[in-house]
Amino acid sequence: MKLSHFQFDLPKELLAEYPAENRDEARLMVIDRKKGTIEHKMFKDVIDYFDEGDVLILNNTKVFPARLYGNKEKTGARIEVFLLRELNAEQRLWDVLVDPARKIRIGNKLYFGDDDSLVAEVIDNTTSRGRTLRFLYDGSYEEFRNKLTELGETPIPKYISRDVTPEDAERYQTIYAKEEGSVAAPTAGLHFSKHLMKKLEIKGIKFAEVTLHVGLGTFNPVEVEDLSKHKMDSEELKITQEACDIVNNAKVHKKRICTVGTTSMRAVESSVSSHNTLNPFDGWTNKFVFPPHEFTIPTCMITNFHTPKSTLLMMVSAFCGHDLMKKAYAEAIEKEYKFYSYGDAMMII
């Protein structure tokens, strides 16, 4: 498959600026791969597709407020700093993106907060927009992290043209988020409400939690026509023995196993044993799932609607079947489903 197979015209007004009023009342498109049918539901109707012993695989990563605004020394120019990952806790070194990058050179200092209580020094260039920063802060590591949280902003996607609101801090986070480390939310999970989770639990559906910390690499554009030549950035992944036991037991009993989101799918497909079971994992993955791909763990997938030419769309195509996916996306556009992070959901069974 080629990059051009994943191009389609997406009307700008279908990119969701705000989430649905209630998490579980987003729209849901249900695609049956065997029958080739498409149904239109509400997200809370997912419960009707699961029975006792079925498993939902959830990514329990937590988004941290990764976007900071500082001022450059001397000129006072406003600079956006996007925290990607901590490189060294003791030295307070971080891998970041800066914007506008042309103004930021090694040796520059950036000041944050009204009182300039946090300072960062640029110590390396990593990519055209990437820098390594050393943060300078008088206080313990815990106080330093609290200061980052205080000054940071919820990193809602750039295509959302409005300002960040206090509501975003809650809504751009799944209700089961536990392990801090993502710079973007695993958005399919945003549709689960506490009420819906409780109803699923009462029905006997099991939850297997994995942790994949989403980096911006997930959203890097594919710039090669031959998909096999695209390289994904590595992201940190942890799969416990407990999660493996839940999933593998369901597999033995031929229960429905559903990955919630492309990140959960990438997590489990990164750690499959030679016996086609799920293995524990603690490390980094750069797994890129695109057609053709033989899926070994999930029999079902919940995801949002993705943008043209994205690696996320390619994964959906691999799971759904390309022609059926194209038909579903054409119908989603016709029926004005909302796309991307705060958009509506799709379930492929």
Side-chain angles (χ1 to χ4, degrees):
M1 298 222 76
K2 301 269 193 288
L3 177 62
S4 47
H5 291 136
F6 296 92
Q7 174 56 24
F8 63 92
D9 291 326
L10 177 61
K12 200 168 184 301
E13 63 272 15
L14 295 187
L15 285 167
E17 289 268 322
Y18 292 92
E21 193 174 338
N22 297 312
R23 284 180 185 267
D24 57 15
E25 289 181 352
R27 294 165 74 189
L28 175 71
M29 178 184 280
V30 182
I31 301 170
D32 189 314
R33 291 178 293 172
K34 274 196 186 128
K35 297 178 186 165
T37 56
I38 297 172
E39 294 180 287
H40 304 283
K41 304 278 187 178
M42 297 282 278
F43 190 80
K44 56 189 176 187
D45 298 328
V46 293
I47 193 164
D48 300 334
Y49 295 86
F50 295 98
D51 295 313
E52 189 175 351
D54 289 345
V55 171
L56 290 172
I57 300 174
L58 310 173
N59 182 7
N60 67 11
T61 188
K62 190 172 188 180
V63 180
F64 65 94
R67 191 174 276 133
L68 301 170
Y69 291 96
N71 297 98
K72 190 179 166 187
E73 63 176 335
K74 294 179 184 157
T75 67
R78 179 175 153 100
I79 306 293
E80 179 188 311
V81 172
F82 197 99
L83 303 172
L84 290 177
R85 63 174 70 112
E86 186 175 53
L87 300 172
N88 185 307
E90 200 180 329
Q91 294 182 36
R92 299 182 186 174
L93 295 182
W94 280 76
D95 186 14
V96 307
L97 296 176
V98 292
D99 190 26
R102 67 183 184 281
K103 295 184 174 180
I104 303 302
R105 298 188 172 88
I106 293 171
N108 287 160
K109 283 202 171 78
L110 300 171
Y111 293 85
F112 302 90
D114 295 337
D115 55 356
D116 295 343
S117 56
L118 183 65
V119 182
E121 183 181 4
V122 181
I123 62 168
D124 198 10
N125 292 337
T126 51
T127 61
S128 59
R129 287 182 57 215
R131 303 289 184 271
T132 303
L133 295 189
R134 177 187 284 119
F135 283 97
L136 312 168
Y137 182 72
D138 290 331
S140 67
Y141 177 72
E142 192 180 346
E143 288 167 331
F144 162 64
R145 288 304 298 251
N146 288 341
K147 179 57 76 172
L148 284 185
T149 301
E150 176 197 321
L151 295 172
E153 199 176 82
T154 302
I156 61 171
K158 277 282 193 187
Y159 77 85
I160 293 178
S161 52
R162 61 177 174 80
D163 288 339
V164 174
T165 66
E167 183 196 36
D168 288 313
E170 183 219 340
R171 291 302 302 271
Y172 196 63
Q173 194 84 268
T174 63
I175 59 162
Y176 47 78
K178 291 190 185 92
E179 306 292 336
E180 191 171 84
S182 277
V183 299
T187 53
L190 298 179
H191 302 295
F192 285 89
S193 63
K194 284 181 179 163
H195 182 64
L196 179 58
M197 294 287 280
K198 195 72 199 164
K199 283 173 73 176
L200 287 161
E201 198 182 321
I202 290 166
K203 197 172 178 182
I205 286 92
K206 302 262 192 294
F207 304 119
E209 294 188 8
V210 298
T211 306
L212 186 137
H213 292 317
V214 188
L216 283 184
T218 295
F219 310 102
N220 275 352
V222 180
E223 291 170 340
V224 285
E225 184 65 9
D226 179 355
L227 301 186
S228 65
K229 292 188 165 55
H230 176 69
K231 296 282 185 286
M232 293 285 282
D233 283 5
S234 290
E235 293 172 321
E236 199 173 351
L237 169 62
K238 187 166 189 177
I239 303 174
T240 62
Q241 185 63 56
E242 182 189 0
C244 294
D245 292 344
I246 293 168
V247 170
N248 293 334
N249 186 49
K251 205 165 166 28
V252 168
H253 292 97
K254 295 193 164 37
K255 297 291 184 183
R256 177 165 279 172
I257 299 170
C258 184
T259 50
V260 176
T262 55
T263 59
S264 298
M265 179 70 87
R266 197 156 75 256
V268 296
E269 289 298 302
S270 294
S271 193
V272 179
S273 76
S274 54
H275 303 295
N276 288 343
T277 55
L278 185 61
N279 269 352
F281 191 100
D282 192 353
W284 296 75
T285 178
N286 62 353
K287 183 80 173 174
F288 175 30
V289 179
F290 63 98
H293 180 84
E294 199 67 46
F295 291 86
T296 43
I297 303 295
T299 58
C300 165
M301 177 185 193
I302 293 172
T303 187
N304 278 20
F305 288 91
H306 306 295
T307 48
K309 293 186 175 179
S310 60
T311 57
L312 312 176
L313 183 65
M314 291 160 192
M315 180 189 289
V316 172
S317 163
F319 191 75
C320 183
H322 192 70
D323 291 342
L324 184 54
M325 181 210 75
K326 281 184 75 173
K327 181 183 166 192
Y329 266 62
E331 198 159 316
I333 290 168
E334 185 198 332
K335 295 194 180 295
E336 297 185 342
Y337 273 73
K338 291 290 188 184
F339 277 64
Y340 216 41
S341 300
Y342 272 151
D344 294 313
M346 166 191 280
M347 182 162 72
I348 307 163
I349 57 175

